[in-house]
Amino acid sequence: MIKAEAPPGFYTSPREVTMGTVVFDRDADMVAVVRDVKGLMVGLERPTGLAWEVAYGRLRPGTEREGRQLQALAKLQRARKRGMP
């Protein structure tokens, strides 16, 4: 039997969202890091530099696997930048 990781619950208040944490945006279907929290909106950013804002209710905490995905993406992005003139 394959063990599946259950997704964590969704945020119920913007106060629960802290800067620097890994979250999953249901609207964009992407994992990102919290950049800032302004009222009900949360600023997100990916290692590629892509940044956007989303309502806190559309987020859930990222899983360990999703955190590792972001780390791998950041490593790939650093390697790409080193190869650019």
Side-chain angles (χ1 to χ4, degrees):
M1 179 175 199
I2 298 174
K3 185 176 180 182
E5 184 178 349
F10 295 95
Y11 293 108
T12 57
S13 166
R15 286 184 230 103
E16 294 176 351
V17 184
T18 56
M19 289 176 42
T21 58
V22 175
V23 295
F24 182 82
D25 178 0
R26 293 189 292 174
D27 292 337
D29 199 31
M30 285 195 286
V31 180
V33 175
V34 176
R35 187 182 52 193
D36 59 9
V37 180
K38 296 178 184 173
L40 300 177
M41 299 301 288
V42 178
L44 303 177
E45 187 170 10
R46 287 180 55 93
T48 58
L50 175 65
W52 70 98
E53 288 191 350
V54 65
Y56 79 91
R58 302 302 298 166
L59 301 174
R60 67 163 169 78
T63 62
E64 286 183 38
R65 182 175 187 265
E66 290 165 339
R68 289 191 305 269
Q69 282 180 314
L70 274 184
Q71 290 173 349
L73 182 58
K75 183 178 178 180
L76 176 63
Q77 187 66 17
R78 286 190 302 271
R80 284 180 177 169
K81 284 187 176 183
R82 277 194 304 268
M84 293 179 144

